[in-house]
Amino acid sequence: MVAKPKLNKPRDRRVSADDIDTLMHALRETKVSYLKPLILIALETGLRQGELIKLLWEDVDLDSRLLKVRDTKNGEDRVIPLSNKSLSILQSLPRLRESVFNASHSSLQNAWKRLIKRSDLDDLYFHDLRHEAISRFIERGLTIPESASISGHKAQSMLLRYAHPNLDIVKQKVCSF
């Protein structure tokens, strides 16, 4: 006789080109060297904060253009392909430590909060980068199963909570029929 709780309305905030420009401008003032590449990799891969922090160089295969994501939220490791941009970013990073990004959860959260304050993007959350990446996967033509294999979603319904295709892109595709 207990009602099942309803899911909250999904957040549909997209990260615009202007938002990215604003972030990149604000990043010029940071001393946190890992922040810019970490943000750009998040936008390209859709990895969660924790997945990015735990990323080890031994899990990055630049030759095969693959990245192994371990210890994920759903408990299953996954292997994802690297886009040209993510490959380029990873190739540019120094391999000074075992981890790709020398960051802890708290240091990343603090650096993100300072960046958001500097950029005046108060309505932008780090998790919005994941939403943006997944929406881009769909817009670029990846299927739902292909997008889910990258994002790690097991249920299509949860993946669709993240995918918010740009209406102009959808319109352009429909008008081409």
Side-chain angles (χ1 to χ4, degrees), residues 12 19 25 37 40 50 59 71-72 99 103 117 159:
D12 60 0
D19 293 335
H25 183 75
L40 294 174
D59 298 325
D71 193 24
T72 65
S99 62
K117 187 174 183 176
L159 175 70

Side-chain angles (χ1 to χ4, degrees), residues 103-122:
S104 67
H105 182 70
S106 60
S107 70
L108 175 54
Q109 279 190 323
N110 290 333
W112 178 260
K113 284 178 188 174
R114 288 190 304 272
L115 177 65
I116 291 303
K117 187 174 183 176
R118 240 187 341 270
S119 63
D120 283 329
L121 293 171
D122 299 329

Side-chain angles (χ1 to χ4, degrees), residues 54-90:
K54 295 175 193 171
L55 191 61
L56 303 176
W57 280 115
E58 69 186 51
D59 298 325
V60 179
D61 186 340
L62 297 175
D63 294 331
S64 298
R65 298 178 62 132
L66 296 172
L67 184 120
K68 185 164 189 174
V69 186
R70 298 178 192 268
D71 193 24
T72 65
K73 183 178 175 182
N74 68 18
E76 291 185 13
D77 295 350
R78 66 183 186 278
V79 177
I80 66 168
L82 295 171
S83 67
N84 290 335
K85 188 170 185 176
S86 58
L87 181 67
S88 176
I89 293 164
L90 288 167

Side-chain angles (χ1 to χ4, degrees), residues 128-143:
D128 292 333
L129 304 177
R130 180 167 164 80
H131 284 254
E132 181 61 24
I134 294 169
S135 294
R136 289 178 182 185
F137 297 158
I138 302 295
E139 288 172 353
R140 291 175 182 157
L142 292 180
T143 64

